[in-house]
Each structure stands twice: as structure tokens, then as C-alpha cells.
Amino acid sequence: MSRYFSGRFQTLTPYTPGEQPQERRYIKLNTNESPFPPSPGVMAAVQEEAKRLQLYSDPECRALRNALAEFYDLAPEQFLAGNGSDELLNFAFMAFCDEDCPALFPDITYGFYPVYAGVNRVPFREIPLEEDLRFSLEKLESLHGTVFLANPNAPTGLAKGREEIERLLRSRPDSVLVVDEAYVDFGAESVLPLVSRYDNLLVIQTFSKSRSMAGARLGFAAGSEDLIADLNTLKYSTNPYNVNRMTAAAGVAALREDAYYRANARTIMENRCFTAEALRKLGFTVTDSKANFLFACCSRIGGGELYRKLKERGILVRHFTLPRIDDYVRITIGTREEMEALLEETAAILEEQS
Ligand SMILES: *Cc1c(COP(=O)(O)O)cnc(C)c1O
């Protein structure tokens, strides 16, 4: 730290992204990327748009917001595009939390939430998950603050149904509920259709996972026109051109080729089912994940040790050194071949243990 670094941030602990090794080729099952390339139309749109890189992108992102509006049957004014959903989550912490309105989220969830609270200097409260890693939304009903709910949750993969979330919205009409649906396309229920009915609901989605565009950085928020206007105030106060030309064009093309991405998501869900079953046969406990990853632990080996041994064998998974989930690894679902390699190496590692 330099002696010039503002005192405001001296105790800030930044987010640690999953490894993105550049030196050796791993089977990469650690950052929940899609194993499938973007669709042909997306690649063509990127190439075409690159011809106009000398010009700023459209700060309003009209083409993309119109396409989202048509796709989800809402108004363009109900959408804001972001440089990844991470940017929009940050805006939501900035916009809807302060000294009098803390951020509320589970103690085990997306690791970026406490960082956003920290960088924006807003108080936050972590609500413990149950023993079985489920989250009881009832615990939130009597608490004051802005709720951030990853659904499905990360890294457990456990999802809430629409009715339960709707009950929470109704029980707290004067507080904002932010639902982070990064993984919703892998078998969970989206609450996006509810944004016209509840002015306290903000839904955030990403093109990084089910739409094979993690490297393009594209996310969007959907909500009432007023909530979106608040986020726009912050966007125009930080970076009006937050989504670059190529990414915006790629987003439009991806929505047009939705059938391709839906088919890929189905493949991921099949591979998830296959992998979960095989891991259980090896003695693992596996949560009922509705995301493109599994969260699994085995009494025969610690999470950290399994992570290291898989890495030695060329397979990257994610391990979190947090008290209650230290025994687990999070495994991104890849192709069938990648999952077979993971299972083979895992079985060999367990064999070595005994
Ligand atoms: C991956 C992820 C994001 C971030 O997605 P980007 O759009 O790539 O910034 C947000 N929330 C959760 C829960 C995620 O897992």
C-alpha cells in the first residue's frame, strides 16, 4: 500500500477472482464459465462492430435494451446494461444502501457482496444459512435493509421458488430486494416477470454463464422504471460508455440465437445430473444444485486437499477457505468428456488415500 492510498480504503479486502492460469492448459472447472463457444451470430456481430471502434458506443445501449424488452416482454426503460453484472451489483449497493439501510445477505453467498458493501462504505449484515446450507427467507421478513439474494445461491447451487420470493417481496414492500440470477438458466425459476408488479424488485442477470460470454463482460438489470433511473444516475456519474460496441452487438445476437444457448444449458444440466450421481457413488455429499456447478464434499478428503491434488493432475476446481464450507469444492459443469476426466482423477485420488 502506498502512503497516498486513501484512509477510506485501508481496511478494504478486495474480491479474489478464481484462477485464470495463462501458463498451462487445465481442464478449467473453477470459474463457472461455459464450455461452449459463443454462437456464430455473436462472433459475426463482434467482427462487424469492430469496424466502428473509432466511435464511442451508444451510452443508452438502445439496440440491446430494445432486444431485451422484446425478449422478456417488458419496456426498454425497465432495463439497464452493465459491464458484467458485477458492475450493476455495485450500482445497487451504491443506490439502495446507506447508514440507515444496511445490506442484508446470507453468510455464505457470492463473495463479492461484502466487498461491494466495503467499497461503498455501507453497513451489512450476514444472515446465517441453516445447517443444511439452505436459506430461510422468513428470517429476513422482520429485518430492515436491502436484501441481496443470489438465486440459485453461490456456491451452494440451491434455489428458491418464485412464490417464496414473491412472499418476501410482499412482506417488505418498503425495501428493495435485489435478486442476482447469474445461474437462473440452469433449472431455477426467474422472478424477472414480476418486476412490473413489484416496484421494490430488481433482477440482475448476466451473459457470462449460460450465454458463453464471460470474456465480453455483459450483464443487465431489470426493474421498475424508477429503480432503473436510479441506477442510470450512477452509471452516468461513473462511466456512460460502460458497455463497449462489440459486447452490446454480441448481446443482441445472443438473444436472437437463444435456441443454441438453451440447448447448451440443457446439456449442462444433463452433465450435472450425471456428475452428481457419479460423485455420490464415490461417497460424496452433493447439494441439489440448480446452477452450472456442483458443490460437493467427501469425508475421505478435505476440500483444500482435493483441490490441490486435482490441480496437480491438470484439473482446476474452486475451494473456499471459509469456516462452514472448507470441506467442499465447487466444480463447474463442463462437457461430458471434462466431467469424465474429473471423475476419473477424483477416483484415483481417493484410491491413493486408502
Ligand atoms: C458470475 C457471477 C456474477 C458476475 O457475473 P459477471 O456478469 O461476469 O460480472 C454475479 N453474481 C453471481 C452470483 C455470479 O456467480
Side-chain angles (χ1 to χ4, degrees), residues 3-64:
R3 63 197 166 96
Y4 307 106
F5 195 41
S6 167
R8 285 179 303 161
F9 300 123
Q10 294 199 357
T11 58
L12 181 65
T13 311
Y15 178 70
T16 316
E19 299 162 87
Q20 302 293 352
Q22 310 290 321
E23 73 288 358
R24 121 166 216 205
R25 278 190 78 82
Y26 287 96
I27 294 181
K28 220 176 150 297
L29 307 177
N30 68 327
T31 50
N32 299 342
E33 292 142 321
S34 172
F36 304 112
S39 53
V42 165
M43 297 196 222
V46 167
Q47 280 223 319
E48 183 55 34
E49 208 54 40
K51 295 176 187 162
R52 286 180 282 280
L53 269 184
Q54 73 276 26
L55 301 176
Y56 280 111
S57 60
D58 173 13
E60 293 180 45
C61 257
R62 273 164 295 194
L64 176 60

Side-chain angles (χ1 to χ4, degrees), residues 104-304:
L104 308 171
F105 43 82
D107 62 341
I108 296 167
T109 187
Y110 188 33
F112 228 137
Y113 297 161
V115 181
Y116 291 132
V119 76
N120 289 301
R121 302 164 65 73
V122 297
F124 66 92
R125 183 161 159 198
E126 297 176 298
I127 319 300
L129 295 187
E130 306 300 318
E131 206 50 52
D132 61 1
L133 301 180
R134 295 197 172 272
F135 188 44
S136 152
L137 295 188
E138 279 161 26
K139 281 185 172 172
L140 294 166
E141 286 182 8
S142 55
L143 298 178
H144 172 67
T146 297
V147 173
F148 290 82
L149 187 70
N151 191 45
N153 196 15
T156 64
L158 298 174
K160 291 284 173 199
R162 188 181 292 174
E163 275 173 29
E164 206 179 336
I165 294 177
E166 205 168 349
R167 205 173 317 134
L168 183 65
L169 283 165
R170 277 199 294 258
S171 74
R172 314 169 82 255
D174 300 320
S175 312
V176 174
L177 170 63
V178 179
V179 184
D180 177 355
E181 296 191 331
Y183 300 106
V184 79
D185 295 333
F186 301 103
E189 227 178 346
S190 176
V191 291
L192 203 147
L194 300 183
V195 297
S196 298
R197 259 192 284 154
Y198 297 92
D199 70 356
N200 58 335
L201 170 63
L202 187 75
V203 176
I204 295 184
Q205 287 198 10
T206 177
F207 281 65
S208 294
K209 286 26 191 271
S210 62
R211 291 189 171 115
S212 296
M213 276 174 53
R217 313 306 304 127
L218 183 63
F220 65 89
S224 71
E225 286 188 34
D226 287 348
L227 288 184
I228 295 299
D230 296 340
L231 298 179
N232 262 311
T233 299
L234 299 173
K235 168 186 130 146
Y236 283 101
S237 305
T238 47
N239 186 6
Y241 307 107
N242 61 335
V243 178
N244 74 67
R245 281 185 165 275
M246 292 170 295
T247 293
V252 174
L255 291 174
R256 226 178 269 140
E257 294 178 322
D258 187 55
Y260 167 81
Y261 296 102
R262 271 213 311 268
N264 286 347
R266 270 196 304 277
T267 305
I268 298 284
M269 289 187 270
E270 283 162 20
N271 293 351
R272 176 179 73 203
C273 182
F274 157 78
T275 310
E277 229 167 88
L279 284 173
R280 287 189 184 112
K281 277 192 195 129
L282 288 174
F284 280 80
T285 302
V286 185
T287 64
D288 178 25
S289 172
K290 296 281 184 275
N292 67 338
F293 54 80
L294 289 171
F295 199 51
C297 71
C298 178
S299 59
R300 290 160 68 191
I301 188 164

